[in-house]
Amino acid sequence: MRTDAGPSSAGLPRDRHGPFAPNDTSREKGKIIMIQSRSRLTARYGATLAAALVVLTGCSSGASGPRGTSAAGAPVPAPSPGPLTWSTCGKQLECATLEVPQEYTEPDGRQIPLAVMRHRATDPDRRIGSLVFNPGGPGVSATETLRNLPETTGTPGAFSAEVLARFDIIAMDPRGVGRSQAVRCLTDEQRADAAGTGFDPAVPGGKPLPQLLTDAAAFTSGCAKHQSKKFLASLSTDNVARDIDQVRSALGEDTITYYGLSYGTVVGPMYATLFPDRVRQMVLDAPVDTNQWFGNPLPFQQEVAVASERTLNAWFETCRTEGTAVCPFGTGDPQAAFDTLIDTLEAKPLKVAPVEGVTPGGELDGAMALEATRALAGDQNTWPLLTSALLAAQKGNGAPLHTMWSSVTVSPFPVPTAMFETHTAVRCADWQTPAGIAAHKAAATKAVTEAERIGPRAAYSALNCARWPAPNNDRVTEPLTGAGTPTALVVAGRLDPVTPHHWAETMTRTLDSAVLLTREGVGHGSYGTNACVDSAVDAALIHGTHPADGTVCETDTPATTRPLVPQNR
């Protein structure tokens, strides 16, 4: 979702963001694939990308609670772990490993290791307790996100100084993610090939359907080859929630405070539903519709595509409204200029020379440009970067867009990065994906009809799950109501490219007790980006107080498409 959730199919398009989503950089066959915590690039990478753009454009305590019921049968008691053994692993950071059952139906069976990190409360005399957070994806490493928090001011999920003072911040890499035995499905060579220019932005799924089916078979067989099917089947969100309760018990805490972003808003309600008496307070930022997440993923993916298309349309409209004096791209018709640019790049990709410390170089084609645009259009803070990069590409310089494309991480749709493997594995463990190809064809047609530019990115993005080799037969099926927990604060952006606002409305209704806070503007995730939201979230986490249901926070800074790099330089 963050993963999360974005798009990238987060199959966030790769949505912390996105369900859908910390600075793990891998070199494969000369290509650099950067994994960031979300497709929101400005806050974390704004200064770096801005500088690069100038260069590239030529301008200057108790046991765990019981297992939740599922379609499979009765609850099974979870074991009580011993205390964690911590070691220093960074400034104010401690690391530990916790062994948990691979399957809680077999508590004495195979155990798997989970990576856990703690940032100690900076004011221990006023310490409230432990705050567990999940930054999304699925597939985003919580430990890497926590390690980078000092560098992410202004990024969704960047905790305030007061929260850092009052809580031990706890990060657990979910099973199959990061340092908790990250899922691997492709070889380095396959990853490098996938990062090439083999996608056509005009074709649903990017390739002819027979090739997509062949790719899905290779991907899923690779998953089963690199790890056991039992492990793959265990990667479900309900097991992640049980793992969190094992962490809670090992910490010696009676209750935890929880903050989840994007896909983390699936984990939080799951935990609250299975362990309601263990929740002190809960904040859910950029929420996923959990009813859809555990149901048929085809309409779910289609709604993500429509949400992403809306944010791209918002950029077009703002560019048009601001006029050519502010937004020169397209000279008054940015949509037509964008479509022409994508077609031109797809017919004749631009060569991109490597620049040390900025980009590994390669080629920029239409599919890459569309994906980079999708990610940047999804955050109004990156609109100036997008305008500058599109203008540069029009002039034959594809380096800015190529650099941004290589930085896209979490998408609700397939994007060729290592994160996609983990993201897919978690989704497939949770989703009830139709096996028949007819349903996928119908969904692809609907996605393309309702989101003409982004829809093809969503089309057939659930094929891997349709061919998944490790069915999860004991997933939790009850609604995630969190009955018995304190009132949750649900925070949603008005125009979110990954988790549309109506999902937040649905979550607020589904939870037994919740209030909805809306942030105006475009972007995935709100805490850490908006002063009004920050104040409300801090009050909820620290004091357990909430704004009135339906409260709206205005955007701090009006959106603009004015190029980051002045055009007269």
Side-chain angles (χ1 to χ4, degrees):
M1 294 249 94
R2 342 137 57 73
T3 0
D4 9 100
S8 152
S9 154
L12 314 189
R14 242 176 268 283
D15 320 302
R16 179 185 25 141
H17 270 351
F20 306 115
N23 297 336
D24 170 29
T25 301
S26 58
R27 295 178 178 270
E28 300 164 1
K29 297 292 183 181
K31 295 181 181 288
I32 298 179
I33 296 177
M34 300 171 60
I35 303 299
Q36 302 163 4
S37 61
R38 46 189 69 86
S39 59
R40 300 176 59 94
L41 303 178
T42 298
R44 179 174 294 183
Y45 295 99
T48 301
L49 281 176
L53 197 57
V54 171
V55 172
L56 294 170
T57 56
C59 301
S60 60
S61 71
S64 255
R67 178 177 187 270
T69 57
S70 74
V76 177
S80 298
L84 293 165
T85 301
W86 298 100
S87 60
T88 301
C89 56
K91 185 179 181 181
Q92 294 184 303
L93 297 177
E94 298 173 318
C95 291
T97 300
L98 178 66
E99 297 280 335
V100 300
Q102 177 172 287
E103 281 293 350
Y104 284 86
T105 53
E106 303 171 1
D108 297 323
R110 179 179 175 80
Q111 305 292 297
I112 57 176
L114 300 178
V116 183
M117 182 181 286
R118 174 170 65 182
H119 182 284
R120 285 284 199 178
T122 58
D123 189 348
D125 291 339
R126 297 193 301 142
R127 178 185 179 275
I128 294 172
S130 292
L131 189 159
V132 175
F133 82 104
N134 182 295
V140 174
S141 167
T143 60
E144 283 304 305
T145 302
L146 179 57
R147 183 180 298 280
N148 292 321
L149 274 183
E151 305 169 10
T152 57
T153 301
T155 302
F159 298 106
S160 70
E162 184 65 9
V163 168
L164 293 173
R166 305 295 300 277
F167 292 96
D168 289 343
I169 307 297
I170 306 298
M172 178 197 80
D173 281 354
R175 52 178 64 202
V177 175
R179 291 179 174 82
S180 297
Q181 295 188 327
V183 170
R184 184 69 184 252
C185 298
L186 301 175
T187 65
D188 287 349
E189 183 176 2
Q190 286 173 317
R191 284 181 177 176
D193 288 344
T197 57
F199 292 91
D200 186 336
V203 174
K207 298 179 181 180
L209 181 55
Q211 184 59 54
L212 292 174
L213 291 169
T214 298
D215 290 349
F219 182 91
T220 54
S221 64
C223 294
K225 178 180 179 181
H226 284 92
Q227 49 268 302
S228 73
K229 292 181 181 180
K230 285 188 175 182
F231 177 70
L232 292 173
S234 81
L235 301 180
S236 56
T237 300
D238 51 289
N239 276 339
V240 173
R242 296 183 186 103
D243 293 342
I244 288 175
D245 204 59
Q246 292 287 282
V247 172
R248 175 206 58 78
S249 182
L251 290 169
E253 302 277 20
D254 290 330
T255 61
I256 61 168
T257 302
Y258 181 85
Y259 169 83
L261 178 67
S262 197
Y263 167 73
T265 68
V266 182
V267 177
M270 179 67 77
Y271 184 82
T273 299
L274 297 185
F275 306 98
D277 58 334
R278 303 301 192 188
V279 178
R280 175 187 164 274
Q281 295 294 329
M282 184 168 66
V283 173
L284 305 169
D285 191 355
V288 174
D289 181 349
T290 55
N291 300 311
Q292 284 205 55
W293 178 262
F294 293 103
N296 184 341
L298 301 183
F300 176 93
Q301 292 291 79
Q302 180 266 337
E303 290 194 18
V304 175
V306 171
S308 189
E309 187 90 6
R310 284 174 179 160
T311 62
L312 178 56
N313 288 339
W315 181 87
F316 288 141
E317 180 60 28
T318 304
C319 179
R320 231 184 343 260
T321 301
E322 290 188 306
T324 56
V326 173
C327 182
F329 179 78
T331 59
D333 192 351
Q335 276 177 293
F338 178 76
D339 292 340
T340 297
L341 178 61
I342 296 301
D343 290 343
T344 300
L345 291 173
E346 189 61 22
K348 188 177 181 180
L350 291 173
K351 300 291 184 182
V352 178
V355 177
E356 186 174 358
V358 177
T359 176
E363 283 189 341
L364 176 76
D365 67 1
M368 292 174 175
L370 177 61
E371 180 60 18
T373 298
R374 178 210 60 75
L376 295 178
D379 184 340
Q380 66 187 45
N381 295 309
T382 57
W383 284 3
L385 289 173
L386 175 58
T387 306
S388 295
L390 290 174
L391 289 166
Q394 270 191 330
K395 297 174 182 177
N397 181 359
L401 275 179
H402 187 272
T403 300
M404 294 170 192
W405 170 82
S406 69
S407 300
V408 174
T409 54
V410 186
S411 165
F413 318 122
V415 175
T417 70
M419 155 117 11
F420 178 56
E421 295 161 64
T422 294
H423 183 89
T424 299
V426 175
R427 292 188 304 161
C428 295
D430 277 354
W431 287 1
Q432 299 181 46
T433 309
I437 195 63
H440 293 262
K441 287 182 177 179
T445 299
K446 185 174 183 181
V448 173
T449 300
E450 297 190 4
E452 61 176 312
R453 295 174 182 85
I454 307 300
R457 298 288 299 112
Y460 299 111
S461 57
L463 279 183
N464 288 332
C465 292
R467 300 293 184 265
W468 196 241
N472 174 19
N473 297 317
D474 64 350
R475 61 169 55 87
V476 167
T477 57
E478 61 187 279
L480 302 186
T481 65
T485 61
T487 299
L489 177 60
V490 177
V491 186
R494 183 73 69 188
L495 275 179
D496 189 306
V498 180
T499 54
H501 189 271
H502 69 268
W503 285 3
E505 297 170 351
T506 299
M507 173 168 282
T508 305
R509 291 192 299 267
T510 300
L511 289 170
D512 191 60
S513 181
V515 298
L516 175 61
L517 175 67
T518 297
R519 170 193 50 79
E520 295 292 357
V522 176
H524 184 54
S526 300
Y527 180 53
T529 71
N530 178 282
C532 170
V533 170
D534 293 352
S535 177
V537 170
D538 282 0
L541 294 174
I542 296 170
H543 304 295
T545 58
H546 301 84
D549 186 32
T551 296
V552 175
C553 288
E554 298 298 330
T555 184
D556 284 345
T557 305
T560 180
T561 57
R562 183 184 297 276
L564 185 69
V565 178
Q567 294 303 292
N568 58 356
R569 292 183 60 182

